[in-house]
Amino acid sequence: MGLREVLESWFRLKGRSLEHLSFAARRLAGIIMALYLLLHLVDISTLALGEEAYSALLNLFSGRLGLLADSLLWSILVIHGTLGVYSAFVEAGYFLQHRRTLLVMAWISAIMLIAIGVWVIAGVLA
Amino acid sequence: MRFRVVIKRVKAGGEPRFDAFDVEADPSESVLDVVERISLEKDRTLAFEHACHHGVCGACGMVINGVERLACITRIGEVAKGGVVVLEPLRGFKVISDLAVDKSRMFGKYKLVTPSTLEIVDGGLQEVQLEKLYDCIECGICYSACPIANTFPEYLGPSLLALISKSGDGKVPAVVDSRAGVWACHAAFECSVRCPVGFKPGESIMRLRRRLLKGELRVEG
């Protein structure tokens, strides 16, 4: 099975339910976080080039770019986390009758936490 | 009303292609009726499966405008987008020809389903006890809709695990408690949402998983 078929199946959106869209969002967030970890290892490794190189890289992310990057990262973390909590309950066989309600609550929590986080990040970077 | 039916054609050894057929149909007609008419009047080589025509046999499952449905109980007027209906074979199965797929991936594992999976039906006035398989109609729609069954060929699949979960004898084959069994499911629940008879395989898999976690089932083999 090729990577294209796998991605098409996981991230198929047309005609899919909220549950499937949430599955896709959770999985995509997980993949992005794994890629971020790799990127972070690269960024940390600039320390080997000296303080100047590391500081120059950090300065790149001190303005609007930093707000954007940190907000995106926070959003992805929150989506993966809130949908993960939903998933932990239903995948252990709990709240199966109320899973749609639980899923809607997970998304509402995610949106609220993302908004609060972005507001805090903007305040810190201001 | 005029509809354009676009069918994904797959023939042995050939590349998939899409053929379009313009047909006159009443919007309340079933997609299967229209496909049968195309087969009779426009292209006798079109391969597809059907039997009962009223949503019980599960033979005519196909992907209709991107969504898995039984063609016999789907009205063409309800699914057409701008008068166009695109038909594709179920996903997750090997295509035999055109819209006909090989469901042996599902049926081949039925040896895992114990006799206790059969529901005892109250025979009423009859002396003999009747048995029937639980409500699953074995259409394969759940396999096609499941993002895991589509990408993990060893996965036992939603309907089979759901049938095993109905088993009342307190034991399950070891493969059920493995990576290919209940632990492959990632709660997309598309199987339950798409199931045309409301069999809800997703919920059954989660209950089976919970019983395994609580040690209520004996794993054998």
Side-chain angles (χ1 to χ4, degrees):
Chain A
M1 179 151 304
L3 181 63
R4 190 181 152 196
E5 283 87 359
V6 171
L7 295 178
E8 275 178 359
S9 177
W10 288 355
F11 303 120
R12 183 172 290 122
L13 304 180
K14 188 184 172 191
R16 300 289 100 163
S17 62
L18 179 64
E19 286 88 340
H20 191 288
L21 299 182
S22 303
F23 159 85
R26 191 170 78 237
R27 193 148 277 210
L28 181 64
I31 292 169
I32 292 173
M33 282 198 296
L35 293 174
Y36 173 77
L37 178 66
L38 293 175
L39 198 66
H40 187 54
L41 291 174
V42 172
D43 122 35
I44 287 288
S45 64
T46 55
L47 271 170
L49 302 172
E51 190 184 339
E52 206 171 300
Y54 185 66
S55 298
L57 187 70
L58 285 189
N59 285 337
L60 264 179
F61 293 94
S62 59
R64 284 185 178 179
L65 187 62
L67 175 65
L68 182 69
D70 287 349
S71 299
L72 278 174
L73 184 61
W74 171 248
S75 304
I76 285 160
L77 273 168
V78 166
I79 286 170
H80 198 72
T82 52
L83 294 179
V85 171
Y86 153 81
S87 178
F89 279 120
V90 297
E91 288 200 30
Y94 294 100
F95 305 119
L96 288 172
Q97 264 90 22
H98 308 289
R99 64 179 164 77
R100 183 56 73 88
T101 310
L102 196 64
L103 191 54
V104 171
M105 282 167 59
W107 274 109
I108 291 171
S109 309
I111 291 164
M112 284 169 61
L113 286 169
I114 288 168
I116 293 167
V118 171
W119 181 68
V120 170
I121 293 166
V124 169
L125 288 178
Chain B
M1 193 176 163
R2 198 162 185 79
F3 290 96
R4 169 158 284 201
V5 180
V6 181
I7 303 177
K8 186 175 183 182
R9 310 292 298 272
V10 183
K11 296 293 185 190
E15 285 294 305
R17 68 172 201 271
F18 286 88
D19 285 352
F21 302 92
D22 291 318
V23 289
E24 284 292 334
D26 189 290
S28 65
E29 268 188 278
S30 75
V31 172
L32 182 59
D33 285 342
V34 176
V35 170
E36 282 185 306
R37 232 171 29 246
I38 291 170
S39 167
L40 285 169
E41 296 170 4
K42 295 177 187 286
D43 189 340
R44 300 299 303 271
T45 68
L46 178 63
F48 61 103
E49 288 180 273
H50 66 91
C52 76
H53 284 76
H54 62 275
V56 172
C57 72
C60 65
M62 57 183 77
V63 178
I64 302 174
N65 270 356
V67 179
E68 290 80 3
R69 300 174 194 273
L70 288 180
C72 66
I73 54 169
T74 302
R75 293 175 198 272
I76 193 165
E78 290 174 0
V79 290
K81 294 272 162 52
V84 178
V85 180
V86 180
L87 306 179
E88 296 168 83
L90 289 179
R91 305 169 179 117
F93 296 106
K94 186 182 165 199
V95 178
I96 298 169
S97 180
D98 298 337
L99 300 171
V101 296
D102 175 4
K103 291 181 189 165
S104 60
R105 174 188 178 188
M106 179 171 70
F107 294 124
K109 300 258 172 49
Y110 265 53
K111 58 180 182 277
L112 296 171
V113 181
T114 61
S116 64
T117 304
L118 294 168
E119 184 180 16
I120 307 297
V121 180
D122 182 5
L125 296 174
Q126 297 174 46
E127 294 293 321
V128 185
Q129 271 191 330
L130 301 174
E131 288 184 330
K132 74 174 186 73
L133 204 60
Y134 273 96
D135 291 334
C136 175
I137 59 168
E138 301 149 337
C139 58
I141 278 177
C142 55
Y143 282 74
S144 178
C146 172
I148 305 300
N150 266 243
T151 53
F152 181 30
E154 288 77 30
Y155 181 36
L156 294 182
S159 65
L160 189 72
L161 287 169
L163 283 169
I164 291 169
S165 80
K166 305 288 182 190
S167 175
D169 58 3
K171 56 188 180 189
V172 291
V175 68
V176 171
D177 185 23
S178 76
R179 173 78 180 88
V182 292
W183 307 108
C185 178
H186 283 276
F189 283 107
E190 198 64 19
C191 55
S192 294
V193 175
R194 296 294 154 219
C195 178
V197 292
F199 190 52
K200 298 195 181 304
E203 282 86 340
S204 296
I205 293 168
M206 295 312 158
R207 287 197 189 96
L208 189 57
R209 191 184 271 191
R210 188 174 166 188
R211 289 173 71 198
L212 281 166
L213 285 170
K214 289 169 81 174
E216 290 176 0
L217 292 171
R218 196 167 75 243
V219 178
E220 290 189 331

